[in-house]
Amino acid sequence: MSIHRFSALFLSALAIAAPVAAQEVNVYSYRQPELLKPLTDGFTAETGIKVNVAFLNKGMLEKLKAEGSRSPADLVFTVDISRLSAVVNAGLTQPVTSQTLTDNVPSDLRDPDNHWFGLTTRARIVYASKDRVSEGDITTYEDLADPKWKGRICTRSGTHAYMVALTSAHLHHHGEEATLEWLQGVKSNLARKPQGNDRAQVKAIWAGECDISLGNTYYMGKMLTNEEQQEWAAAVNVLFPTFETGGTHVNVSGVALTKAAPNKENAIKLMEYLASPTAQEIYAAANFEYPIAPGSEAIDLVKSWGEFTPDSVNLMDIANLRPQALRLTEIADYDG
Ligand code: FE
């Protein structure tokens, strides 16, 4: 190669590289912008890389599919293993090999193939009326089907991702026949048709419509810091049920690198930043969740709800059992 040709190539490489000076990373998020703000600000302050967050209410999968290789998104942030695995199963992600990520994210909270990484956990627990439910009245998820709860339970739709994941965990522990029976048992104990979100069930307990409900742990924090909802929270105790043969059901919020990622290196830097113990604690605190990096701790309010042993079921199993769990929910006509 002549020196002349070499320098021409070199110059054109520079010309291509030049736009990279605008260091940025693009995020599609199902998580609310205010949860991410302290972290993205911290990341930008440390690295100079700008973080653009597109907050989506729904349709992330469809959007990524439609955009294909032209998608501006580098990272997707979402909650629930079913949503993370849906993006992965659609072929829209790529694996990330990073020592920082493997050091900071416990192996049961990340994809064995490195396509998604958990960042925080939340438990799905029982909210119980302080007045009408005594300590020890309910200690397992299986108990929810006990006829002693007839007309006393409220839940959201059985087809919501949070409910389907719990049903998947039941399937893992007890198999199909027992899980259908359990769903039918819980349904026959419902005080009203499934409706509303997790907090609406606690409101129903406060209003005297039911005595126990299922909900994610962080909603206690959200209610306690909401003027109108403080009363609802004050009406309930947080109980950590377990499966008879396992622990308390947990799910994750997590992150995945898109296949199209135009800013791959910056995106991996942000993933690593988010997995660090300090960022973990900030991220978890913003939504009253549990950080997962070794050495990190939940805030005192979250810790005050009690300690629990997370269920042993692998999150990938929960994701794989989803279609079966949904089918059983339909057979039981849980929402009907
Ligand atoms: Fe939620």
Side-chain angles (χ1 to χ4, degrees):
M1 187 189 289
S2 70
I3 292 196
H4 180 78
R5 269 191 66 204
F6 176 81
S7 55
L9 271 179
F10 182 73
L11 282 174
S12 65
L14 266 186
I16 291 163
V20 176
Q23 290 279 329
E24 59 180 7
V25 54
N26 301 320
V27 173
Y28 281 1
S29 175
Y30 273 149
R31 310 217 76 197
Q32 282 129 12
E34 65 266 24
L35 294 182
L36 304 177
K37 188 95 174 65
L39 290 163
T40 53
D41 285 355
F43 177 71
T44 304
E46 195 174 299
T47 62
I49 300 166
K50 189 174 169 230
V51 185
N52 307 306
V53 180
F55 173 64
L56 307 173
N57 262 324
K58 54 184 174 190
M60 187 190 288
L61 193 65
E62 293 70 22
K63 190 171 165 67
L64 287 168
K65 274 186 191 166
E67 290 169 349
S69 59
R70 294 181 317 277
S71 177
D74 297 296
L75 296 175
V76 296
F77 286 12
T78 185
V79 297
D80 203 278
I81 183 59
S82 68
R83 294 187 191 131
L84 282 166
S85 54
V87 179
V88 174
N89 292 341
L92 297 165
T93 56
Q94 59 177 306
V96 177
T97 310
S98 155
Q99 195 59 46
T100 306
L101 287 172
T102 36
D103 287 348
N104 284 312
V105 183
S107 60
D108 56 331
L109 298 173
R110 58 179 148 88
D111 177 16
D113 295 326
N114 297 317
H115 278 261
W116 61 264
F117 294 84
L119 293 174
T120 61
T121 61
R122 63 277 295 288
R124 190 148 187 82
I125 48 95
V126 163
Y127 287 97
S129 163
K130 277 184 184 164
D131 299 336
R132 302 183 297 278
V133 180
S134 312
E135 211 182 318
D137 276 359
I138 179 146
T139 55
T140 68
Y141 295 105
E142 289 86 346
D143 277 350
L144 293 164
D146 188 314
K148 79 175 179 185
W149 297 110
K150 195 145 206 88
R152 300 175 66 190
I153 302 179
C154 286
T155 75
R156 74 193 308 161
S157 165
T159 63
H160 188 275
Y162 301 162
M163 295 295 285
V164 178
L166 180 65
T167 302
S168 302
H170 193 287
L171 259 172
H172 168 84
H173 286 289
H174 299 298
E176 182 160 286
E177 205 177 317
T179 300
L180 180 57
E181 262 175 49
W182 178 72
L183 283 167
Q184 288 164 334
V186 179
K187 184 197 169 179
S188 67
N189 287 338
L190 293 177
R192 58 179 193 180
K193 275 194 187 191
Q195 58 195 270
N197 57 23
D198 280 356
R199 274 181 275 188
Q201 318 311 320
V202 179
K203 183 185 183 185
I205 294 174
W206 165 77
E209 282 182 73
C210 35
D211 297 340
I212 56 176
S213 74
L214 285 167
N216 288 349
T217 38
Y218 55 87
Y219 287 116
M220 190 64 176
K222 286 181 169 262
M223 289 186 290
L224 285 169
T225 51
N226 177 305
E227 213 175 312
E228 185 203 349
Q229 299 171 1
Q230 276 171 5
E231 289 188 72
W232 312 349
V236 294
N237 285 318
V238 166
L239 307 178
F240 290 89
T242 64
F243 283 103
E244 281 165 7
T245 50
T248 299
H249 176 62
V250 298
N251 212 312
V252 285
S253 83
V255 61
L257 178 68
T258 68
K259 197 171 192 174
N263 307 290
K264 183 175 165 179
E265 274 176 38
N266 291 345
I268 294 172
K269 277 186 200 157
L270 179 55
M271 290 172 92
E272 290 174 338
Y273 178 84
L274 289 171
S276 74
T278 315
Q280 280 277 300
E281 288 185 347
I282 296 167
Y283 194 34
N287 195 41
F288 309 99
E289 291 180 78
Y290 301 93
I292 59 178
S296 61
E297 278 188 56
I299 55 171
D300 288 344
L301 174 64
V302 172
K303 283 198 281 190
S304 74
W305 301 332
E307 291 195 356
F308 64 95
T309 307
D311 195 25
S312 54
V313 59
N314 189 288
L315 283 170
M316 295 302 276
D317 291 340
I318 299 268
N320 293 335
L321 287 165
R322 177 180 163 82
Q324 198 183 353
L326 255 181
R327 193 163 48 79
L328 293 177
T329 304
E330 273 153 28
I331 294 170
D333 192 24
Y334 187 85
D335 288 353

